[in-house]
């Protein structure tokens, strides 16, 4: 059945709906966009004008020209992030183009501000070419203190991030990869603590070998996970497969120590952890075949790969990507604080150590309140962003990538 198309220009979406027209609050909220630019200084008279603009501004420009590092003190650079996309992997909508991606990018920007106190500017690029994206972002970089790559399809996202990190001396962070990985690790550390196990004792299965799945696998191994098998549409990513992309070949070299082959169902037999970032549905018998006391993180939206009602029959801890179930794995728990911490110390990049520090800080917020229904805090817990910010800033200083 086709989805109903609501005319965004109709009275039904302005709050002036007629008796026979449905009111769609989503269109009403988005009318005119979700953000605006606001001045931080007044321009009330000619004296204010002469300081904020000419001639006073020339003094500041000249000082920055002589000492470039002053740009961080006398412009917004150190507190603003570019949210960059090409619109090719937007939420669950796929390749919908740059214009259609803007509501999501605006949403990301307001979450940066709401949860991390970080200003952000949505930038949707009308190109899918890797070279053009990299060149464009490099040219835009002088205006920003960091770059958040968003909703760029795999495998291009890996190359774009890598090349930008090589070319720029500011943090470049693909949130679909690393934000998801940080929150997943935090939830998994607490689930393991609840069960009296260490990460090293766990074998995980990840369904989905796209940006999030690849990043989660690498990050969990970096954090000490015992073993992980990653699956795609053709089954377990393993060394004996000849159809792998370069990204998946690299993944096959570091994952699946058990040497498993076959399907997702084969991988899940006896596994301790399921992490879903692919959509689709996992058959109930496959979930039932997991080890006793297993953890099921079914993170696809809006439909988890394993419905919580099914997962709870077999799993000790269940998490999803949805806010209407306990234990929501939500990137907003990570990226605002990660960037706030990096910007606070003018970090040149975001390292693995900084990401692990963010995950540990996020997990620690739960503290003694840990339970099967609470292994990860709410995005609205006011302790989250300050804890992540402080941990990331401290890790940056310890690792020598901080510049203040």
């Amino acid at each position: 059945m086709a989805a109903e198309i609501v005319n965004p220009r109709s009275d039904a979406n302005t709050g002036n709906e007629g008796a026979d027209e449905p009111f769609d609050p989503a269109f009403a909220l988005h009318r005119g966009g979700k953000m605006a630019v606001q001045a931080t200084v007044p321009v009330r008279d000619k004296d204010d004008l002469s300081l904020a603009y000419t001639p006073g501004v020339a003094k500041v420009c000249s000082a920055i020209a002589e000492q470039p590092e002053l740009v961080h003190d006398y412009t917004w650079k150190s507190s603003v992030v570019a949210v960059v996309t090409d619109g090719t992997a937007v939420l669950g909508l796929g390749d919908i183009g740059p214009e259609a991606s803007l509501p999501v990018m605006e949403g990301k920007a307001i979450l940066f501000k709401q949860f991390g106190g970080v200003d952000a500017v949505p930038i949707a690029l009308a190109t899918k070419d890797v070279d053009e994206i990299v060149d464009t972002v490099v040219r835009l970089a002088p205006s920003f203190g960091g770059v958040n790559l968003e909703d760029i399809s795999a495998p291009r996202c890996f190359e774009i991030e890598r090349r930008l990190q090589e070319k720029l001396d500011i943090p470049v962070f693909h949130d679909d990869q690393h934000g998801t990985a940080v929150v997943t690790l935090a939830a998994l550390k607490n689930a393991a603590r609840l069960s009296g196990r260490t990460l090293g004792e766990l074998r995980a299965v990840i369904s989905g070998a796209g940006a999030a799945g690849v990043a989660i696998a690498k990050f969990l191994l970096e954090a000490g996970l015992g073993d992980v098998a990653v699956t795609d549409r053709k089954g377990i990513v393993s060394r004996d497969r000849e159809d792998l992309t370069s990204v998946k070949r690299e993944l096959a070299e570091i994952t699946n120590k058990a040497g498993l082959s076959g399907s997702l169902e084969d991988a899940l037999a006896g596994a301790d952890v399921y992490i879903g970032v692919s959509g689709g549905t996992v058959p109930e018998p496959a979930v039932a075949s997991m080890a006793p006391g297993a953890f099921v993180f079914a993170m696809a939206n809006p439909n988890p790969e394993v419905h919580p009602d099914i997962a709870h029959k077999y799993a000790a801890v269940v998490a999803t990507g949805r806010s209407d179930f306990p234990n929501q794995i939500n990137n907003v728990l990570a990226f605002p604080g990660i960037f706030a911490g990096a910007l606070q110390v003018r970090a040149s990049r975001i390292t693995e150590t900084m990401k692990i520090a963010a995950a540990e800080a996020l997990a620690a917020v739960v503290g003694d309140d840990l339970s099967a229904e609470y292994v990860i805090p709410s995005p609205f817990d006011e302790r989250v962003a300050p804890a992540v910010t402080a941990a990331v800033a401290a890790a940056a200083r310890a690792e020598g990538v901080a510049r203040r």
Side-chain angles (χ1 to χ4, degrees), residues 87-382:
T88 55
V90 181
L91 296 178
L93 303 174
D95 185 353
I96 59 174
E99 287 88 353
S101 76
L102 272 175
V104 176
M105 301 309 117
E106 288 184 1
K108 195 82 174 189
I110 65 175
L111 295 180
F112 264 113
K113 188 67 173 181
Q114 172 80 18
F115 294 102
V118 174
D119 290 304
V121 177
I123 298 175
L125 302 179
T127 179
K128 300 178 186 179
D129 183 87
V130 170
D131 292 336
E132 291 182 354
I133 292 172
V134 170
D135 289 346
T136 300
V137 176
V138 168
R139 286 169 169 77
L140 290 170
S143 296
F144 299 98
V147 176
N148 182 97
L149 299 174
E150 190 76 18
D151 293 349
I152 299 173
S153 62
R156 295 173 313 113
C157 61
F158 302 115
E159 182 180 358
I160 290 168
E161 182 187 49
R162 176 184 59 78
R163 287 173 57 181
L164 286 173
Q165 288 172 338
E166 291 172 353
K167 288 176 175 287
L168 299 177
D169 65 348
I170 58 175
V172 178
F173 185 86
H174 184 209
D175 186 51
D176 301 310
Q177 292 185 63
H178 311 300
T180 309
V182 166
V183 183
T184 301
L185 174 59
L188 186 58
K189 286 176 72 70
N190 273 340
R193 178 163 70 94
L194 183 67
S195 67
R197 289 177 283 178
T198 65
L199 290 181
E201 297 176 80
L202 303 176
R203 178 173 74 84
V205 176
I206 298 174
S207 64
V214 170
I216 291 169
K218 291 181 177 179
F219 192 56
L220 293 184
L221 289 173
E222 179 80 16
L225 184 71
D227 193 14
V228 58
V230 182
T231 67
D232 60 14
R233 291 183 179 88
K234 296 183 179 180
I236 299 170
V237 175
S238 59
R239 296 182 185 183
D240 60 354
R241 281 180 49 182
E242 298 180 355
D243 61 341
L244 300 179
T245 64
S246 59
V247 171
K248 292 180 184 179
R249 280 197 300 272
E250 178 187 349
L251 191 64
E253 292 296 321
I254 62 172
T255 60
N256 193 20
K257 297 174 187 175
L260 302 174
S261 60
S263 66
L264 169 64
E265 289 82 354
D266 295 322
L268 281 175
D272 302 295
V273 185
Y274 168 76
I275 298 170
V277 285
S278 65
T281 302
V282 179
E284 183 172 345
V287 182
S289 76
M290 296 178 69
F295 313 141
V296 171
F297 293 0
M299 292 149 53
N301 268 313
N303 300 311
E305 296 91 344
V306 183
H307 193 280
D309 291 344
I310 300 297
H312 278 298
K313 294 182 183 180
Y314 312 102
V317 176
V318 177
T320 72
R322 287 174 43 161
S323 60
D324 52 345
F325 294 115
N327 296 326
Q328 183 190 19
I329 308 292
N330 191 327
N331 289 20
V332 76
L333 289 162
F335 68 82
I338 289 173
F339 268 99
L343 293 175
Q344 184 181 95
V345 297
R346 297 179 188 169
S348 58
R349 62 186 185 274
I350 294 171
T351 66
E352 293 301 300
T353 300
M354 292 161 71
K355 289 184 283 184
I356 289 175
E360 291 175 344
L362 183 54
V365 170
V366 170
D368 294 336
D369 295 324
L370 178 66
S371 72
E373 301 291 297
Y374 185 56
V375 298
I376 198 76
S378 162
F380 296 99
D381 188 323
E382 295 181 354

